[in-house]
Amino acid sequence: MSYVECSLTIHDLEKISCHVQYGETVRGDLGYDKLTEMSVDRLNFWVNYSVDNQANTNNKNILCEVTDLQTLGMHLYKILFADEKIRSAFAAMYREFINDYALDTTKRLRLELIFEENAKKLTGLPWEFLFIPEGGKLPSFDQTVKGVFFPGQNAELVLIRSVPQSKLVQQLKEQETPLRILIVICQPHGLETLEDKEINDVETELLGLEATGRVKVMPHRNVTYKGLQALLLNPNPDDPQPKPPHILHFIGHGEAGKIAVIMDTDDRDYKDVAFNKKTGASIENPVKWITSQDIVGLLPSGDNKPRLVFLQVCKGAAPGTLQSFKSTASVLVHADIPAVVAMQYSISNDDARLFAKTFYRCIADGEKIDEAVKAGRMELAKTLPAWEHPRFGTPVVYLQSNKAIVVPTTDKGGGESQRECAKCKTPNPISSKFCKECGAPLSTRAAVSAADQPKSQTAPLQERKDGVAENLIPFTEGSIGTRTPSVRFREKNDTDVSG
């Protein structure tokens, strides 16, 4: 698999630059103003409100529709591509990728959004809904909205958001399997009870990955502040050779800029919170709120730091947990954690389990982080109505490094590690390119053949007779000034292709 790389560096709230692989860097103005800021904020609020109410009530009238997501996505597009110089540079690269893909269907187009220090404010926008309108121009009054959600709607497009790499992160190398996942679940006294079924389902799903021999899951419940620090050095105290976890998966509560763990008995505030002031009875698992900077202080140094932190909000979590985890994710990625995953909207039990399972399976197979996220996003999007529910944009990933976390190794017995065929579920050697049972292409991204996918979902691009990809939106004549065959996005019940 090869990549065509394009990076957009947001320097501050006014300036942006576009760098295309093997090309020059083009600088321009960011399309960010007060009206755009307010519009994105209110649209994002509506998406969050809609999802939260659908998840927690039976009111089916509160519904976020695909047009809401497209509107939000086009505002995000306007922020990035308001400047003609930036838009033209991206359009030329986009068109070239389409032509290359017609000749080599293993190619991927990766768009990286890099946020510098003075652009931190924009890091938290819901870029997962970035919508590329047909032709690269926003639709006029008499036009139907056509286009594609860049972060997932086509398997060939990959979007990542990142911050500039530190020297430490640049020096980190992939490690051998098994992938070590530390699960920490915290339910302090006095906070709303997390839903046991959701926690158990995710825990069971991840433990099930151990059967592949490439994953080791170590769950711990109600961990104290000092206990978490110890587990980050050695999540398996019985192991005579301590090995820090590759991944910390935290499930619990949060509030403005903080997360909740259990208070240690030697904490200076323990006596004030660990006993009922009226009866004198002890309180089990008293809460300790720790800030994002406290978490940074807990992390081991150097090569022992987790390669990835996954912050999961379960049903029953305290109000404010979503925003707390999202802001904590941004702090952690600036503190030399290569990758942090959080959720920006409420997510159902089934969706959380599906995303985690797909994501970790890809990571254990040695897939790069953006491809693992892409695979999880596409699995979420398959749930009907496909690409019309915000679930595909719920996971948020902040990156300093997109390197694979682990390198798959052979089994102890000398046999090669196995990879399951996404189509027929047959185990295959990880080095195989095609399934030995059904002949389908093997991919750690759990892709299936084009014939088995609905055209309106995530089918790979199809080659037309004129050599241009069929269902990827090129920038057409008029938006670039160079003649390119006109191809429009194939929507539901749409069989016509212009050109």
Side-chain angles (χ1 to χ4, degrees):
M1 186 183 300
S2 58
Y3 290 86
V4 175
E5 306 277 358
C6 177
S7 63
L8 295 174
T9 301
I10 298 88
H11 303 285
D12 51 35
L13 301 185
E14 297 179 351
K15 297 297 181 182
I16 183 174
S17 60
C18 176
H19 179 75
V20 180
Q21 190 174 9
Y22 309 124
E24 296 181 354
T25 298
V26 178
R27 299 183 180 276
D29 295 324
L30 201 67
Y32 188 68
D33 52 34
K34 189 61 179 179
L35 179 59
T36 302
E37 178 187 34
M38 294 173 64
S39 299
V40 170
D41 182 64
R42 297 313 299 170
L43 284 165
N44 195 31
F45 174 84
W46 164 244
V47 173
N48 187 47
Y49 176 79
S50 177
V51 172
D52 193 53
N53 276 273
Q54 288 181 64
N56 297 299
T57 72
N58 292 320
N59 189 351
K60 301 303 181 184
N61 293 322
I62 304 175
L63 181 63
C64 175
E65 299 180 351
V66 67
T67 51
D68 300 319
L69 302 180
Q70 290 173 339
T71 304
L72 175 58
M74 283 188 285
H75 274 81
L76 297 170
Y77 175 84
K78 177 179 174 290
I79 292 174
L80 297 176
F81 298 107
D83 193 301
E84 175 64 27
K85 298 187 295 295
I86 301 295
R87 189 167 62 250
S88 296
F90 178 74
M93 176 276 307
Y94 201 111
R95 184 182 61 219
E96 183 178 347
F97 168 74
I98 293 172
N99 293 330
D100 286 348
Y101 184 87
L103 302 175
D104 181 2
T105 57
T106 66
K107 280 189 177 293
R108 299 287 182 266
L109 171 57
R110 178 187 285 129
L111 175 62
E112 180 180 14
L113 304 182
I114 303 173
F115 297 90
E116 294 188 343
E117 186 69 22
N118 292 332
K120 265 187 177 181
K121 181 178 181 180
L122 301 181
T123 306
L125 297 186
W127 297 106
E128 289 67 29
F129 296 112
L130 177 63
F131 187 81
I132 308 294
E134 183 181 62
K137 283 191 174 183
L138 299 178
S140 59
F141 285 114
D142 59 343
Q143 288 181 313
T144 302
V145 175
K146 294 184 176 68
V148 61
F149 289 108
F150 197 100
Q153 200 164 354
N154 282 99
E156 294 73 29
L157 306 179
V158 180
L159 180 139
I160 59 176
R161 62 167 89 189
S162 64
V163 300
Q165 280 191 11
S166 68
K167 290 183 179 179
L168 171 63
V169 172
Q170 289 175 6
Q171 294 169 358
L172 294 178
K173 297 180 179 179
E174 297 93 337
Q175 298 185 358
E176 291 187 348
T177 50
L179 178 72
R180 298 185 295 276
I181 304 175
L182 168 62
I183 302 178
V184 173
I185 303 159
C186 281
Q187 176 60 72
H189 175 82
L191 300 180
E192 295 182 51
T193 303
L194 299 173
E195 191 171 281
D196 283 338
K197 183 181 185 302
E198 184 170 352
I199 293 173
N200 292 335
D201 283 352
V202 171
E203 193 174 353
T204 300
E205 198 73 70
L206 296 186
L207 285 168
L209 294 176
E210 290 191 333
T212 64
R214 299 192 300 279
V215 179
K216 176 65 177 176
V217 178
M218 296 151 288
H220 294 267
R221 298 205 176 207
N222 291 331
V223 175
T224 66
Y225 179 77
K226 290 183 178 179
L228 179 56
Q229 188 172 36
L231 290 172
L232 286 169
L233 286 171
N234 182 18
N236 186 4
D238 296 329
D239 191 339
Q241 295 182 324
K243 297 182 182 68
H246 297 113
I247 295 173
L248 167 62
H249 189 118
F250 183 88
I251 303 175
H253 296 271
E255 65 176 23
K258 301 176 181 178
I259 66 171
V261 295
I262 309 302
M263 184 175 288
D264 290 283
T265 56
D266 60 353
D267 191 290
R268 64 182 181 181
D269 297 324
Y270 185 78
K271 291 183 179 179
D272 295 331
V273 300
F275 299 93
N276 187 301
K277 294 181 179 179
K278 292 183 179 180
T279 65
S282 63
I283 295 175
E284 186 177 3
N285 297 328
V287 63
K288 179 179 178 66
W289 290 100
I290 59 176
T291 67
S292 301
Q293 292 302 324
D294 290 330
I295 301 171
V296 171
L298 281 174
L299 300 172
S301 60
D303 200 47
N304 288 327
K305 280 190 175 184
R307 297 299 201 271
L308 183 142
V309 174
F310 194 122
L311 301 172
Q312 180 177 338
V313 179
C314 282
K315 190 173 182 180
T321 299
L322 275 170
Q323 288 306 311
S324 170
F325 280 11
K326 190 176 174 183
S327 63
T328 299
S330 180
V331 171
L332 291 178
V333 80
H334 281 90
D336 293 339
I337 298 296
V340 186
V341 179
M343 301 294 159
Q344 61 183 338
Y345 306 116
S346 297
I347 188 168
S348 72
N349 179 22
D350 290 341
D351 287 346
R353 188 173 70 246
L354 177 61
F355 179 82
K357 176 185 177 181
T358 306
F359 176 78
Y360 284 131
R361 185 183 292 275
C362 290
I363 293 294
D365 283 342
E367 197 70 84
K368 289 187 175 182
I369 294 171
D370 63 351
E371 289 288 352
V373 172
K374 176 86 170 184
R377 231 185 263 293
M378 292 178 72
E379 287 300 313
L380 292 179
K382 289 178 182 178
T383 304
L384 297 177
W387 299 104
E388 293 184 17
H389 189 283
R391 60 173 61 87
F392 73 88
T394 295
V396 179
V397 184
Y398 299 86
L399 293 175
Q400 261 211 48
S401 171
N402 188 41
K403 292 179 181 177
I405 297 176
V406 294
V407 178
T409 54
T410 56
D411 299 332
K412 291 182 180 179
E416 190 173 5
S417 297
Q418 300 291 297
R419 175 183 300 168
E420 185 181 81
C421 174
K423 183 177 180 182
C424 70
K425 308 303 180 184
T426 300
N428 290 266
I430 200 166
S431 60
S432 299
K433 294 183 178 180
F434 299 94
C435 178
K436 61 186 180 184
E437 181 66 26
C438 68
L442 292 175
S443 170
T444 55
R445 302 189 310 118
V448 296
S449 65
D452 295 324
Q453 294 202 45
K455 291 294 183 183
S456 61
Q457 294 187 30
T458 55
L461 302 181
Q462 302 298 310
E463 185 178 344
R464 280 178 32 176
K465 291 181 180 179
D466 57 10
V468 178
E470 180 178 334
N471 64 338
L472 185 63
I473 312 304
F475 288 77
T476 56
E477 182 181 7
S479 64
I480 301 178
T482 303
R483 181 168 181 78
T484 303
S486 175
V487 185
R488 63 186 176 88
F489 179 64
R490 185 185 295 277
E491 297 188 321
K492 290 182 179 179
N493 303 319
D494 183 7
T495 57
D496 179 31
V497 177
S498 61

